[in-house]
CSV table of all heavy atoms in Angstrom, one decimal:
chain,number,residue,atom,x,y,z
P,58,TYR,N,-110.1,14.4,39.8
P,58,TYR,CA,-109.0,13.8,39.1
P,58,TYR,C,-107.9,13.5,40.1
P,58,TYR,O,-107.8,14.1,41.2
P,58,TYR,CB,-108.5,14.7,38.0
P,58,TYR,CG,-108.2,16.1,38.4
P,58,TYR,CD1,-107.0,16.5,38.7
P,58,TYR,CD2,-109.3,17.0,38.4
P,58,TYR,CE1,-106.7,17.8,39.1
P,58,TYR,CE2,-109.0,18.4,38.8
P,58,TYR,CZ,-107.7,18.7,39.1
P,58,TYR,OH,-107.5,20.0,39.5
P,59,GLU,N,-107.1,12.5,39.8
P,59,GLU,CA,-106.0,12.1,40.7
P,59,GLU,C,-104.9,11.5,39.9
P,59,GLU,O,-105.1,10.9,38.8
P,59,GLU,CB,-106.6,11.1,41.7
P,59,GLU,CG,-107.0,9.8,41.2
P,59,GLU,CD,-107.4,8.8,42.2
P,59,GLU,OE1,-107.0,8.9,43.4
P,59,GLU,OE2,-108.2,7.9,41.9
P,60,ARG,N,-103.7,11.5,40.5
P,60,ARG,CA,-102.6,10.8,39.9
P,60,ARG,C,-102.7,9.4,40.3
P,60,ARG,O,-103.0,9.1,41.5
P,60,ARG,CB,-101.3,11.4,40.5
P,60,ARG,CG,-100.1,10.7,40.0
P,60,ARG,CD,-98.8,11.3,40.7
P,60,ARG,NE,-97.7,10.5,40.3
P,60,ARG,CZ,-96.4,10.8,40.6
P,60,ARG,NH1,-96.2,11.8,41.3
P,60,ARG,NH2,-95.5,10.0,40.1
P,61,VAL,N,-102.5,8.5,39.4
P,61,VAL,CA,-102.6,7.0,39.7
P,61,VAL,C,-101.4,6.3,39.1
P,61,VAL,O,-100.7,6.7,38.1
P,61,VAL,CB,-103.9,6.4,39.1
P,61,VAL,CG1,-105.1,7.0,39.7
P,61,VAL,CG2,-103.9,6.6,37.6
P,62,THR,N,-101.1,5.2,39.8
P,62,THR,CA,-100.2,4.2,39.3
P,62,THR,C,-101.1,3.0,39.0
P,62,THR,O,-101.8,2.6,39.9
P,62,THR,CB,-99.1,3.8,40.3
P,62,THR,OG1,-98.4,5.1,40.6
P,62,THR,CG2,-98.1,2.8,39.8
P,63,TYR,N,-101.0,2.4,37.8
P,63,TYR,CA,-101.8,1.3,37.4
P,63,TYR,C,-101.0,0.2,36.7
P,63,TYR,O,-99.9,0.4,36.3
P,63,TYR,CB,-102.9,1.9,36.5
P,63,TYR,CG,-102.4,2.5,35.2
P,63,TYR,CD1,-102.4,1.7,34.0
P,63,TYR,CD2,-101.8,3.7,35.1
P,63,TYR,CE1,-101.9,2.2,32.8
P,63,TYR,CE2,-101.3,4.3,34.0
P,63,TYR,CZ,-101.4,3.5,32.8
P,63,TYR,OH,-100.9,4.0,31.7
P,64,ASN,N,-101.7,-0.9,36.5
P,64,ASN,CA,-101.1,-2.0,35.7
P,64,ASN,C,-101.8,-2.0,34.4
P,64,ASN,O,-102.9,-2.3,34.2
P,64,ASN,CB,-101.3,-3.3,36.4
P,64,ASN,CG,-100.6,-4.4,35.8
P,64,ASN,OD1,-100.5,-4.5,34.5
P,64,ASN,ND2,-100.2,-5.4,36.5
P,65,PRO,N,-101.1,-1.5,33.3
P,65,PRO,CA,-101.7,-1.4,32.0
P,65,PRO,C,-102.3,-2.7,31.5
P,65,PRO,O,-103.4,-2.7,30.9
P,65,PRO,CB,-100.6,-1.0,31.1
P,65,PRO,CG,-99.5,-0.5,32.0
P,65,PRO,CD,-99.7,-1.2,33.3
P,66,ILE,N,-101.7,-3.8,31.7
P,66,ILE,CA,-102.2,-5.1,31.2
P,66,ILE,C,-103.4,-5.6,32.0
P,66,ILE,O,-104.4,-6.0,31.4
P,66,ILE,CB,-101.1,-6.1,31.1
P,66,ILE,CG1,-100.0,-5.7,30.1
P,66,ILE,CG2,-101.6,-7.5,30.7
P,66,ILE,CD1,-98.8,-6.5,30.0
P,67,VAL,N,-103.3,-5.6,33.3
P,67,VAL,CA,-104.4,-6.1,34.1
P,67,VAL,C,-105.6,-5.2,34.1
P,67,VAL,O,-106.7,-5.6,33.9
P,67,VAL,CB,-103.9,-6.3,35.6
P,67,VAL,CG1,-105.0,-6.6,36.5
P,67,VAL,CG2,-102.8,-7.4,35.7
P,68,ASP,N,-105.3,-3.8,34.2
P,68,ASP,CA,-106.5,-2.9,34.3
P,68,ASP,C,-107.1,-2.6,33.0
P,68,ASP,O,-108.3,-2.3,32.9
P,68,ASP,CB,-106.0,-1.6,35.0
P,68,ASP,CG,-105.5,-1.8,36.4
P,68,ASP,OD1,-106.0,-2.8,37.1
P,68,ASP,OD2,-104.8,-1.0,36.9
P,69,TYR,N,-106.3,-2.5,31.9
P,69,TYR,CA,-106.9,-2.1,30.6
P,69,TYR,C,-106.6,-3.0,29.5
P,69,TYR,O,-107.0,-2.7,28.4
P,69,TYR,CB,-106.3,-0.7,30.3
P,69,TYR,CG,-106.8,0.4,31.3
P,69,TYR,CD1,-106.0,0.8,32.4
P,69,TYR,CD2,-108.1,0.9,31.2
P,69,TYR,CE1,-106.5,1.7,33.3
P,69,TYR,CE2,-108.6,1.8,32.1
P,69,TYR,CZ,-107.7,2.2,33.2
P,69,TYR,OH,-108.2,3.1,34.1
P,70,GLY,N,-105.8,-4.0,29.7
P,70,GLY,CA,-105.5,-4.9,28.6
P,70,GLY,C,-104.3,-4.5,27.7
P,70,GLY,O,-104.2,-5.0,26.6
P,71,GLY,N,-103.5,-3.6,28.2
P,71,GLY,CA,-102.3,-3.2,27.5
P,71,GLY,C,-102.3,-1.7,27.2
P,71,GLY,O,-102.9,-0.9,28.0
P,72,TRP,N,-101.5,-1.3,26.2
P,72,TRP,CA,-101.3,0.1,25.9
P,72,TRP,C,-102.1,0.5,24.6
P,72,TRP,O,-102.4,-0.4,23.8
P,72,TRP,CB,-99.8,0.4,25.7
P,72,TRP,CG,-99.1,0.3,26.9
P,72,TRP,CD1,-98.8,1.2,27.9
P,72,TRP,CD2,-98.4,-0.9,27.4
P,72,TRP,NE1,-98.1,0.7,28.9
P,72,TRP,CE2,-97.8,-0.6,28.6
P,72,TRP,CE3,-98.3,-2.2,27.0
P,72,TRP,CZ2,-97.1,-1.5,29.4
P,72,TRP,CZ3,-97.6,-3.2,27.7
P,72,TRP,CH2,-97.0,-2.8,28.9
P,73,GLY,N,-102.4,1.7,24.5
P,73,GLY,CA,-103.2,2.2,23.3
P,73,GLY,C,-104.4,2.9,23.7
P,73,GLY,O,-104.5,3.5,24.8
P,74,ILE,N,-105.4,2.8,22.9
P,74,ILE,CA,-106.8,3.3,23.3
P,74,ILE,C,-107.5,2.0,23.8
P,74,ILE,O,-107.8,1.1,23.1
P,74,ILE,CB,-107.5,3.9,22.1
P,74,ILE,CG1,-106.7,5.0,21.5
P,74,ILE,CG2,-108.9,4.3,22.5
P,74,ILE,CD1,-107.3,5.5,20.2
P,75,LYS,N,-107.7,2.0,25.1
P,75,LYS,CA,-108.3,0.8,25.8
P,75,LYS,C,-109.5,1.1,26.6
P,75,LYS,O,-109.7,2.1,27.2
P,75,LYS,CB,-107.2,0.2,26.7
P,75,LYS,CG,-105.9,-0.3,25.9
P,75,LYS,CD,-106.3,-1.4,25.0
P,75,LYS,CE,-105.0,-2.0,24.3
P,75,LYS,NZ,-105.3,-3.2,23.6
P,76,TRP,N,-110.4,0.1,26.7
P,76,TRP,CA,-111.5,0.1,27.5
P,76,TRP,C,-111.4,-1.1,28.5
P,76,TRP,O,-111.0,-2.2,28.1
P,76,TRP,CB,-112.8,-0.1,26.7
P,76,TRP,CG,-113.1,1.1,25.9
P,76,TRP,CD1,-113.9,2.1,26.2
P,76,TRP,CD2,-112.6,1.3,24.5
P,76,TRP,NE1,-113.9,3.0,25.1
P,76,TRP,CE2,-113.2,2.6,24.1
P,76,TRP,CE3,-111.8,0.7,23.7
P,76,TRP,CZ2,-112.9,3.1,22.9
P,76,TRP,CZ3,-111.5,1.2,22.4
P,76,TRP,CH2,-112.1,2.4,22.0
P,77,GLY,N,-111.7,-0.8,29.7
P,77,GLY,CA,-111.6,-1.9,30.7
P,77,GLY,C,-112.6,-1.7,31.8
P,77,GLY,O,-113.4,-0.8,31.7
P,78,SER,N,-112.6,-2.5,32.8
P,78,SER,CA,-113.5,-2.4,34.0
P,78,SER,C,-113.3,-1.0,34.7
P,78,SER,O,-114.2,-0.5,35.3
P,78,SER,CB,-113.3,-3.5,34.9
P,78,SER,OG,-112.0,-3.5,35.4
P,79,GLU,N,-112.1,-0.5,34.5
P,79,GLU,CA,-111.8,0.8,35.2
P,79,GLU,C,-112.2,2.0,34.3
P,79,GLU,O,-112.0,3.2,34.8
P,79,GLU,CB,-110.3,0.9,35.4
P,79,GLU,CG,-109.7,-0.3,36.3
P,79,GLU,CD,-110.1,-0.1,37.7
P,79,GLU,OE1,-110.1,1.0,38.2
P,79,GLU,OE2,-110.3,-1.2,38.3
P,80,GLY,N,-112.7,1.8,33.2
P,80,GLY,CA,-113.1,2.9,32.3
P,80,GLY,C,-112.2,2.9,31.0
P,80,GLY,O,-111.7,1.8,30.6
P,81,LYS,N,-112.0,4.0,30.4
P,81,LYS,CA,-111.3,4.1,29.2
P,81,LYS,C,-109.9,4.7,29.5
P,81,LYS,O,-109.7,5.4,30.4
P,81,LYS,CB,-112.0,5.1,28.2
P,81,LYS,CG,-111.4,5.2,26.8
P,81,LYS,CD,-112.3,6.1,26.0
P,81,LYS,CE,-111.8,6.1,24.5
P,81,LYS,NZ,-112.7,6.9,23.7
P,82,ALA,N,-108.9,4.3,28.6
P,82,ALA,CA,-107.5,4.7,28.8
P,82,ALA,C,-106.9,5.1,27.5
P,82,ALA,O,-107.1,4.4,26.5
P,82,ALA,CB,-106.7,3.7,29.5
P,83,PHE,N,-106.1,6.2,27.5
P,83,PHE,CA,-105.2,6.5,26.5
P,83,PHE,C,-103.8,6.4,27.1
P,83,PHE,O,-103.5,7.2,28.0
P,83,PHE,CB,-105.4,8.0,26.0
P,83,PHE,CG,-106.8,8.2,25.4
P,83,PHE,CD1,-107.7,9.0,26.0
P,83,PHE,CD2,-107.1,7.7,24.1
P,83,PHE,CE1,-108.9,9.3,25.4
P,83,PHE,CE2,-108.3,7.9,23.5
P,83,PHE,CZ,-109.2,8.7,24.2
P,84,ASN,N,-103.0,5.5,26.7
P,84,ASN,CA,-101.7,5.3,27.2
P,84,ASN,C,-100.7,4.8,26.2
P,84,ASN,O,-101.1,4.0,25.3
P,84,ASN,CB,-101.7,4.5,28.5
P,84,ASN,CG,-102.3,3.1,28.3
P,84,ASN,OD1,-102.6,2.7,27.2
P,84,ASN,ND2,-102.4,2.4,29.4
P,85,MET,N,-99.4,5.1,26.3
P,85,MET,CA,-98.4,4.7,25.4
P,85,MET,C,-97.4,3.8,26.0
P,85,MET,O,-96.9,2.8,25.4
P,85,MET,CB,-97.7,5.9,24.9
P,85,MET,CG,-98.1,6.4,23.5
P,85,MET,SD,-98.1,5.2,22.3
P,85,MET,CE,-98.0,6.2,20.9
P,86,SER,N,-96.9,4.2,27.2
P,86,SER,CA,-95.9,3.4,27.9
P,86,SER,C,-96.0,3.8,29.4
P,86,SER,O,-96.5,4.8,29.8
P,86,SER,CB,-94.5,3.6,27.3
P,86,SER,OG,-94.1,4.9,27.5
P,87,GLY,N,-95.3,2.9,30.2
P,87,GLY,CA,-95.3,3.2,31.6
P,87,GLY,C,-96.5,2.8,32.3
P,87,GLY,O,-97.4,2.2,31.8
P,88,SER,N,-96.6,3.2,33.6
P,88,SER,CA,-97.7,2.8,34.4
P,88,SER,C,-98.2,3.9,35.3
P,88,SER,O,-98.9,3.7,36.3
P,88,SER,CB,-97.3,1.6,35.3
P,88,SER,OG,-96.2,2.0,36.1
P,89,GLU,N,-98.0,5.1,34.9
P,89,GLU,CA,-98.5,6.3,35.6
P,89,GLU,C,-99.4,7.1,34.8
P,89,GLU,O,-99.2,7.2,33.6
P,89,GLU,CB,-97.3,7.1,36.1
P,89,GLU,CG,-96.5,6.5,37.2
P,89,GLU,CD,-95.5,7.4,37.8
P,89,GLU,OE1,-94.5,7.8,37.1
P,89,GLU,OE2,-95.7,7.8,39.0
P,90,GLY,N,-100.3,7.8,35.4
P,90,GLY,CA,-101.2,8.6,34.7
P,90,GLY,C,-102.1,9.5,35.6
P,90,GLY,O,-101.9,9.5,36.8
P,91,VAL,N,-103.0,10.2,34.9
P,91,VAL,CA,-104.0,11.0,35.7
P,91,VAL,C,-105.3,10.5,35.3
P,91,VAL,O,-105.6,10.3,34.1
P,91,VAL,CB,-103.8,12.5,35.3
P,91,VAL,CG1,-104.9,13.3,35.9
P,91,VAL,CG2,-102.5,13.0,35.8
P,92,LYS,N,-106.1,10.1,36.3
P,92,LYS,CA,-107.5,9.6,36.0
P,92,LYS,C,-108.5,10.7,36.3
P,92,LYS,O,-108.5,11.4,37.3
P,92,LYS,CB,-107.7,8.4,37.0
P,92,LYS,CG,-109.0,7.7,36.6
P,92,LYS,CD,-109.2,6.5,37.5
P,92,LYS,CE,-108.8,5.2,36.9
P,92,LYS,NZ,-109.2,4.0,37.6
P,93,LEU,N,-109.3,10.9,35.2
P,93,LEU,CA,-110.3,11.9,35.3
P,93,LEU,C,-111.7,11.3,35.6
P,93,LEU,O,-112.0,10.3,35.0
P,93,LEU,CB,-110.5,12.7,34.0
P,93,LEU,CG,-109.2,13.3,33.4
P,93,LEU,CD1,-109.5,13.9,32.0
P,93,LEU,CD2,-108.6,14.3,34.3
P,94,TYR,N,-112.4,11.8,36.6
P,94,TYR,CA,-113.7,11.2,37.0
P,94,TYR,C,-114.8,12.2,36.5
P,94,TYR,O,-114.7,13.4,36.8
P,94,TYR,CB,-113.8,11.0,38.5
P,94,TYR,CG,-112.8,10.0,39.0
P,94,TYR,CD1,-111.5,10.4,39.5
P,94,TYR,CD2,-113.1,8.7,39.0
P,94,TYR,CE1,-110.6,9.5,40.0
P,94,TYR,CE2,-112.2,7.7,39.5
P,94,TYR,CZ,-110.9,8.2,40.0
P,94,TYR,OH,-110.0,7.2,40.4
P,95,PHE,N,-115.8,11.7,35.9
P,95,PHE,CA,-116.8,12.6,35.3
P,95,PHE,C,-118.1,12.4,36.1
P,95,PHE,O,-118.3,11.5,36.9
P,95,PHE,CB,-117.1,12.2,33.9
P,95,PHE,CG,-115.9,12.4,33.0
P,95,PHE,CD1,-115.0,11.3,32.7
P,95,PHE,CD2,-115.6,13.6,32.4
P,95,PHE,CE1,-113.9,11.4,31.9
P,95,PHE,CE2,-114.5,13.8,31.6
P,95,PHE,CZ,-113.6,12.7,31.4
P,96,TYR,N,-119.0,13.3,35.9
P,96,TYR,CA,-120.3,13.3,36.6
P,96,TYR,C,-121.2,12.1,36.1
P,96,TYR,O,-121.9,11.5,36.9
P,96,TYR,CB,-121.1,14.6,36.4
P,96,TYR,CG,-120.4,15.7,37.2
P,96,TYR,CD1,-119.7,16.7,36.6
P,96,TYR,CD2,-120.6,15.8,38.6
P,96,TYR,CE1,-119.1,17.7,37.3
P,96,TYR,CE2,-120.0,16.8,39.3
P,96,TYR,CZ,-119.2,17.8,38.6
P,96,TYR,OH,-118.6,18.8,39.3
């Protein structure tokens, strides 16, 4: 896992429960988060 700065619109299509080329995201606002990598 790592701390990331991302572009919500480009990487995930906005805020909310989103799926994108980068995986799934749960986000409300801002552009910072923690990305979890699974096996």
Side-chain angles (χ1 to χ4, degrees):
Y58 49 97
E59 67 176 334
R60 177 183 176 176
V61 294
T62 300
Y63 63 99
N64 185 326
I66 294 174
V67 172
D68 296 338
Y69 295 98
W72 294 269
I74 303 170
K75 297 293 184 173
W76 292 265
S78 60
E79 302 286 324
K81 189 175 183 179
F83 295 112
N84 57 3
M85 261 309 201
S86 65
S88 60
E89 291 188 291
V91 173
K92 190 179 260 191
L93 306 176
Y94 297 94
F95 300 95
Y96 290 104

